[in-house]
Structures are given as C-alpha cells and as structure tokens.
Amino acid sequence: MYHFSGIDYLCRMDYFKKLLDLLKTERKEDQEQYRQLTETLSVAERRANGLTWYPIAIRDTEMSRGDYLTIEVERTTHHDIIHQLRFGAAAALFSNHDPKNDRVEGVISFQGGNKLRITLRTDELPDWSRDGKLGIDLLFDDNSYDEMQQALQQAGARIEKKEEGRLIRILTGDQKPAFHNGNGSTIFDRLNNSQQSAVRKILDAEDLAIVHGPPGTGKTTTLVQAIRAMIARDGKQVLVVAPSNTAVDLLSEKLADSGLDVLRVGNPARVSERLTTLTLDSKMAAHNSMKDLKKWKKQANEYKELAHKYKRNFGKAEREQRKALFDEARNIMKQVEQTEQYIVDDIVRKAQVITATLIGANHYTIRHLTFDTVVIDEAGQGLEPACWVPVLKAKKLVLAGDHCQLPPTVKSTEAAQGGLSVTLLEKQVALHPEAVVLLEEQYRMHEMIMGYSSSIFYGNQLKAHSSVAAHSLFINDRPLLFVDTAGCGFEERVEGASTSNPEEAALLYRHLIQLVDDLRQHYKDADFPSIAIISPYRQQIDVLKEQLLQASALQSLGEKISVNTIDSFQGQERDIVYISMTRSNADNRIGFLSEVRRMNVAMTRARKKLVVIGDSATLSGDDFYANFISYAEQRDAWQSAWELMGV
C-alpha cells in the first residue's frame, strides 16, 4: 500500500499548539490572497470570480432577532456564473455609486437558486439603497477560522479530562480505541462482505471506526446502512457532516430516501425539491405554530413602518408615539423569537439525523448539542482543524473517506509543508489500523483500469465486481490505453504559473474523433457514452475547451463531453476518460504531477475506457509513471502517437 510522507506525530502537549500555529499561518495567507483578489478587481471581475452578485434587486424586508433587518435579494442577471456565496458567510450590501462608503455588512442566512437572504447589522435600510446599482459582496470568511481556532483551543483544554478527553486522547495517539463484539452474525441485505464488515465495525466501536472507501466501492451506501442500524439499535440522534455542501447534500438525500427523518442544517448547494424539504426553513414553514409567527411578524413590521414615517423634527407627543410604536414592535419580536426558538427546538429534537458541513456543526440551532455518534464523510478532503468542530460534539466518531485521493486545498505552502495538508483521517489510519475497514469491491471500473491504482494505493486488495470487471464500450475494445508522444516534439508551453501543450491537445481530439466514429456504429446520440477530458493544468483545460469548439465532428454530442481539471472531477465518473498529462520537456520536470494522489483521482474516474496521453521520456523520471507505462505495455495498452499521425 502507498505510504505518504509528512505525518508528524508531535508531543501530545504540543499537538494543538502546532495546529493552531499552522492555522494562523494559513489564515494570514488566505487573507492576503483575498485582499489581492478583491482590492484591485472591478465589480464585473469580482462577479466573474464568484465573489459578487451584481446587479441585485431587493424583494422583501423583515425584522429579525436583535432588531436587525433581514432582506431578501435576487440577482437579476448573470445567473450562469458559479458563485461562492453560501449560508453563514459574511457579506455586504453595497451601492456601486460609491461602493467603498455605501455598504452595510451582514451574514447570509439563506441562499438558494438566484435568491438569498442577508441579515444586516442595521435596523433599517440606508437611503442609498433606493438609488439602484445594488450588489452583494462576499467578505473574507473570518467565521470559519474563528470556529476552527476555538475548536482546537477547546480540544487542547479537554485532553486531560477523564471522560470528555477520551476521544481526544485516542485521536492524538495517547490511547487505543475500544471495541465490543456483539454484531458478528448480523447480516445486512444488499451489502457485500467488506461493506458488512464496515457496518459491524461501526456498531462495535466504542469510540472510533474508520471506513476506507476507494473509488466506486459504495462508501455512501455503507454509511447509510450503518447509520440506520445505529438508530434502530440505540434510538439516538446521529450528526453526519462532510467538508463540502455537495457531499452533505448527497448523504442527506440518501439518508432521507432510506426512510430516516433528516434535518439538513445550512442551505444545500444543489437546489432540488427533495433537499429543500429537509432544510430547517422548509420544516419551519410546515410547522403548525408558523401561522401565528407570520401574523406577529407582519404586525411588528407594520408598527415599525409607522414609527419610521415620523419626520426628523417632531414634538413631544410624536416622539412618545414613535417610541411606543418601537416598543410595541420590540415586544412582539420578543414573542416571535421565543416562538421561533420553540419551533426550531421541536424540529431539531424530532430529527433522527442532522446533517451539516464541518463548520456548520456549530450552526446556532445545534451549537449546544452533543451526540453519541458523529460521522464525518469525505474526511480525506477536510482540513483537520475543521474536523475538530464536530469531533468535540462526539462520544463516538466514524471517519469515512479515502486518504489516497486528493487532500484538502491549503493555500499557504508553509502551512502545508508544516503538516496542515495531512488530514485527521490519514493520521488515524496510521495510528489505529485496528479501527479501519477497507471496502474491497468496486462497482465502477473495468478491472484493467482499476488494476494499477489497486496495486499502488490499496495493496492489491481491490477487486472489480462481476458486473463491471469486464464491461466495455463494445466487443474487443481496449479499456486502457497509454498514447506515448515521446519524440514527437510536443514541447510544453509555460505561461506564468501554468502549463499547456496545444499539440498534445490536438492529438487527443484526433484520437477521440476516431473513437467517436467507431462508437457511432454501436450507439445513438441519446444513449452515447459519457466522456470526460481531464488535465492537471488549468491552462491546458483552456486550450482543450478552445479546441473542442473547433472540433465539428464532436459538436452533436453536446453535454456528453465534459472538460475540466482533475480536482473538479473528484467524486464523479464517466464511461470514457481522456487524461492530457501536458508535461513534455528535456529536463524530466513534472511539477505537481508528482502529487500522485491527484493522478489516482484522474485514473479512477473511468468506467469503461481510460486513455492517458503523455510523453514517456518526461514522465518516466518518476517511478509512479514509469511503472504505469510498464503496466500498460504488459497489457498491450501502449500506443505510439506516431501511429495516430499516420507516420
């Protein structure tokens, strides 16, 4: 099995101090990058970078807790731009007439589709808000860093406490996890042997269980069954978290589909009717106490609007009347807050499963709660300090993920090299192998596509299920191919921090067009296989997208073809995957291709055909790529680019 360097087991006394120092370094770098990005950009550029909604229109206003004003806004154009505005993020309403001065800060309390609600730190809209040219700017995310810092400080303070500190001591290597053996004979329908072992490990664990789920092994299915089994046995509420909203959404839907009562805290990234019904807002709207709440809110707003109608110069009687109206509005809002709290508490209490992001585990609705079991899915993609936010709520922790795929993004090179890029999952797999179950059977890839990844990363333990082991696009098609450009003169081009290789891109399309011609004999456009074109380099992705527009033979396939970076495809799969390796130089420089976990992700996206295009002369300087090329040659899966060029 592949072992990663950089795990630094510190003195337990220094464990959290070291993490706090790394987090401080990362925060500083993140702030600086954000400052550079926002201070020099126009509103159109900020919008293109996903940091701004502009223009927007205010659709509704209402009073909220603490005399703050909540407004609902809608972005009126540029609906197709992917943005970073999310529930809980700090943001500001601004006027582009004078954006530096005309702005009010607040927190996003809901975001869905092209609408969001933001609670502003003011009790009434400023005058400039009536002059148009309004937008919403995302502010730097201090809240997430504050939550992570606080969690690390609390963990450090609790580590010596007998009961509260037990799980912390296990996770920092001072104690071993414990297991009781009571479920060995339990059979779980529709689960394979390793999946059943994982569920039993979770049920038997007193404090820590780890599900190592390589690509396509049914990790989500396994977790859902384990959570159902725990709730059926113990009747206790379970907190389920993941680093991204998308991962939380997937699990929330699967858990709800299995018949569990799920509360999705925060707002989903994907707007679907199924997900929306699981949110706090939706459950509150359906609560039988909501009718009274709406009536009181309307009344409070009416009183407040009446109070604001008084002009600035008025006499004693008007002043007293204005004060009375404000007092009455505040009294009603106190009643509203009490009723809202009752509704929230009622919904939270009845939920069998609560789902949230790692930071969302401290959402105001559940901040005060602890749980018998906390499940962290995709734990290989979560920063360790963020994982401690939900860990502190747990008596028992279940980690699920794959530390052999991409780690979380760390913006500071210094923090990454210091150990921040090493995840809690990776540390626990090394510390507590007795807590780990590897899911061994995968349901995605042809066995030849799977084989190299299995040998390098998973100790040759992965096997392909019979339904996929030999599946192919058509009879006698080769599921794996390495197209070797060595000697073709396809030199890479370096521009700034990125690299491209236009000639390699052109060769890729020549090969793909030939394959598509062959496939048209077997498929109609409607059921045509899905295709991913992947490269590690964003500059090469731009080249590939540009060349795709010129490839008339591929235009009819439309959305069947996706072109993006490896990182963007993590968690996805396609029938056919092309990887453009891009690097080709006389010095055997491969840059961040040396992060082989990134290549593990790329190579395991393909179901039926994987085509890797690269320069063996450049790549073979690294053992990982030299061995992959040998793996392809031994399986008659090597082809020279000269053949494609008709030479």
Side-chain angles (χ1 to χ4, degrees):
M1 190 174 291
Y2 199 87
H3 294 284
F4 303 107
S5 60
I7 300 179
D8 181 19
Y9 295 114
L10 310 153
C11 277
R12 302 305 152 213
M13 301 252 322
D14 294 335
Y15 189 94
F16 293 105
K17 181 183 182 304
K18 175 71 172 175
L19 276 175
L20 280 163
D21 288 345
L22 292 172
L23 187 65
K24 183 179 178 182
T25 303
E26 174 71 359
R27 184 180 197 156
K28 187 177 178 183
E29 176 63 25
D30 199 2
Q31 283 176 323
E32 178 58 24
Q33 288 187 20
Y34 182 86
R35 186 191 65 77
Q36 289 178 4
L37 190 62
T38 54
E39 284 187 1
T40 58
L41 298 183
S42 67
V43 68
E45 290 168 324
R46 295 199 309 277
R47 179 174 61 202
N49 278 278
L51 302 173
T52 296
W53 278 15
Y54 181 85
I56 56 105
I58 296 174
R59 299 302 188 204
D60 195 16
T61 64
E62 66 173 31
M63 288 178 69
S64 62
R65 299 180 177 217
D67 274 354
Y68 287 152
L69 182 72
T70 294
I71 63 170
E72 180 177 274
V73 307
E74 181 176 12
R75 60 172 174 174
T76 52
T77 64
H78 299 84
H79 295 164
D80 58 321
I81 294 178
I82 297 170
H83 62 89
Q84 301 174 44
L85 279 70
R86 294 285 181 265
F87 168 84
L93 172 72
F94 70 90
S95 162
N96 211 35
H97 290 293
D98 186 3
K100 286 192 175 175
N101 296 310
D102 292 349
R103 57 176 44 231
V104 182
E105 294 188 1
V107 175
I108 296 172
S109 54
F110 171 83
Q111 187 276 310
N114 293 303
K115 289 187 176 181
L116 65 77
R117 286 198 294 274
I118 178 171
T119 300
L120 300 171
R121 295 188 181 96
T122 182
D123 64 352
E124 60 181 318
L125 280 170
D127 292 340
W128 51 258
S129 68
R130 297 169 183 84
D131 298 332
K133 287 196 172 184
L134 299 180
I136 300 286
D137 264 343
L138 184 68
L139 302 179
F140 181 75
D141 186 13
D142 272 312
N143 176 62
S144 290
Y145 282 102
D146 289 344
E147 293 282 9
M148 289 188 278
Q149 180 180 310
Q150 187 178 18
L152 293 174
Q153 289 167 339
Q154 287 178 2
R158 287 187 200 173
I159 196 168
E160 301 301 331
K161 295 184 178 178
K162 186 177 179 184
E163 287 304 318
E164 272 189 288
R166 175 173 166 75
L167 181 58
I168 300 170
R169 289 191 295 276
I170 289 167
L171 296 178
T172 53
D174 273 352
Q175 286 182 228
K176 287 289 183 184
F179 301 88
H180 54 79
N181 188 13
N183 299 282
S185 61
T186 309
I187 302 296
F188 299 95
D189 292 341
R190 299 186 301 279
L191 295 186
N192 64 40
N193 289 339
S194 62
Q195 290 171 336
Q196 294 205 39
S197 295
V199 175
R200 283 194 287 269
K201 179 71 76 173
I202 290 169
L203 290 171
D204 290 348
E206 291 185 13
D207 22 54
L208 176 66
I210 301 167
V211 180
H212 183 186
T217 52
K219 173 175 58 66
T220 301
T221 299
T222 306
L223 285 182
V224 168
Q225 291 302 316
I227 292 163
R228 287 185 66 202
M230 281 190 290
I231 290 170
R233 184 186 70 180
D234 307 325
K236 300 283 182 65
Q237 198 173 58
V238 177
L239 175 65
V240 179
V241 295
S244 70
N245 276 295
T246 305
V248 177
D249 292 348
L250 174 65
L251 257 177
S252 300
E253 284 189 320
K254 297 285 188 187
L255 288 162
D257 289 344
S258 78
L260 293 172
D261 186 333
V262 178
L263 171 63
R264 168 67 161 98
V265 170
N267 295 122
R270 292 186 293 115
V271 181
S272 70
E273 189 177 342
R274 182 62 168 137
L275 267 173
T276 304
T277 60
L278 305 179
T279 63
L280 184 65
D281 277 359
S282 177
K283 288 177 183 274
M284 286 183 74
H287 199 278
N288 53 19
S289 298
M290 203 63 192
K291 193 182 287 185
D292 290 336
L293 203 67
K294 284 182 178 176
K295 183 177 72 180
W296 294 334
K297 273 189 177 181
K298 185 180 177 185
Q299 202 172 19
N301 278 323
E302 286 171 356
Y303 281 135
K304 202 167 182 187
E305 282 172 12
L306 279 172
H308 282 305
K309 282 180 181 175
Y310 284 95
K311 293 184 169 51
R312 295 183 191 281
N313 300 314
F314 44 75
K316 183 183 177 186
E318 287 92 349
R319 190 178 298 110
E320 287 178 353
Q321 182 63 21
R322 188 175 194 263
K323 182 179 180 300
L325 287 166
F326 273 129
D327 287 345
E328 189 58 34
R330 286 193 185 97
N331 288 335
I332 293 171
M333 283 308 294
K334 282 179 186 173
Q335 193 173 3
V336 165
E337 284 179 27
Q338 289 170 357
T339 306
E340 269 186 349
Q341 193 60 55
Y342 161 74
I343 294 171
V344 168
D345 290 346
D346 191 44
I347 291 167
V348 169
R349 180 175 53 81
K350 288 175 178 173
Q352 293 172 297
V353 182
I354 295 173
T355 63
T357 59
L358 297 173
I359 301 299
N362 252 0
H363 186 273
Y364 74 91
T365 55
I366 58 171
R367 183 180 283 269
H368 59 292
L369 297 180
T370 57
F371 299 84
D372 268 45
T373 305
V374 170
V375 178
I376 302 181
D377 191 21
E378 301 297 355
Q381 294 176 47
L383 278 180
E384 180 177 354
C387 288
W388 282 100
V389 176
V391 166
L392 290 179
K393 297 175 168 292
K395 292 180 184 174
K396 177 165 97 177
L397 177 65
V398 178
L399 294 173
D402 183 10
H403 54 289
C404 302
Q405 294 189 63
L406 281 172
T409 300
V410 177
K411 296 184 178 179
S412 163
T413 304
E414 181 186 345
Q417 291 174 346
L420 193 61
S421 60
V422 182
T423 61
L424 186 64
L425 173 67
E426 192 175 337
K427 290 180 180 178
Q428 299 315 305
V429 169
L431 276 171
H432 304 300
E434 70 276 21
V436 181
V437 174
L438 173 71
L439 301 182
E440 296 174 349
E441 195 164 21
Q442 64 85 16
Y443 298 82
R444 175 185 299 168
M445 293 163 276
H446 188 287
E447 59 189 358
M448 195 184 295
I449 297 172
M450 172 204 76
Y452 187 66
S453 179
S454 178
S455 68
I456 297 297
F457 297 99
Y458 308 111
N460 266 328
Q461 290 178 267
L462 269 192
K463 57 180 180 285
H465 186 263
S466 58
S467 62
V468 302
H471 67 177
S472 60
L473 295 168
F474 52 85
I475 295 171
N476 294 328
D477 181 51
R478 286 189 286 187
L480 176 67
L481 193 62
F482 177 73
V483 179
D484 193 348
T485 66
C488 293
F490 293 178
E491 286 288 309
E492 66 189 51
R493 297 182 188 178
V494 179
E495 297 173 37
S498 198
T499 306
S500 65
N501 194 323
E503 290 168 304
E504 181 178 288
L507 181 78
L508 183 152
Y509 282 117
R510 183 179 295 190
H511 190 282
L512 176 56
I513 289 167
Q514 171 92 49
L515 176 63
V516 167
D517 280 345
D518 293 341
L519 289 171
R520 289 198 190 280
Q521 300 171 39
H522 305 274
Y523 300 92
K524 294 180 180 175
D525 281 358
D527 62 349
F528 207 83
S530 56
I531 302 165
I533 300 171
I534 301 176
S535 174
Y537 293 94
R538 186 158 290 284
Q539 191 74 31
Q540 181 72 343
I541 291 299
D542 292 342
V543 171
L544 286 161
K545 285 181 175 177
E546 194 175 308
Q547 290 193 13
L548 178 59
L549 294 174
Q550 310 303 318
S552 56
L554 301 175
Q555 298 310 308
S556 64
L557 295 178
E559 293 182 357
K560 291 286 184 180
I561 302 180
S562 309
V563 184
N564 219 324
T565 59
I566 294 171
D567 301 48
S568 302
F569 276 105
Q570 181 149 311
Q572 299 185 44
E573 58 186 66
R574 296 290 190 277
D575 293 313
I576 304 162
V577 170
Y578 277 77
I579 306 174
S580 173
M581 301 299 288
T582 308
R583 301 309 297 258
S584 179
N585 55 73
D587 305 316
N588 301 106
R589 295 187 315 273
I590 62 168
F592 79 158
L593 290 186
S594 58
E595 169 52 280
V596 295
R597 285 182 286 190
R598 177 170 277 105
M599 199 48 54
N600 186 35
V601 172
M603 290 176 171
T604 54
R605 299 308 94 199
R607 288 193 282 254
K608 298 179 180 179
K609 191 176 186 74
L610 172 65
V611 181
V612 180
I613 301 180
D615 180 349
S616 63
T618 299
L619 297 172
S620 292
D622 184 285
D623 285 347
F624 175 84
Y625 296 105
N627 291 333
F628 170 69
I629 293 164
S630 295
Y631 176 86
E633 286 173 334
Q634 290 159 14
R635 286 154 183 80
D636 191 27
W638 179 93
Q639 180 182 19
S640 171
W642 291 106
E643 292 176 40
L644 282 172
M645 296 187 294
V647 177

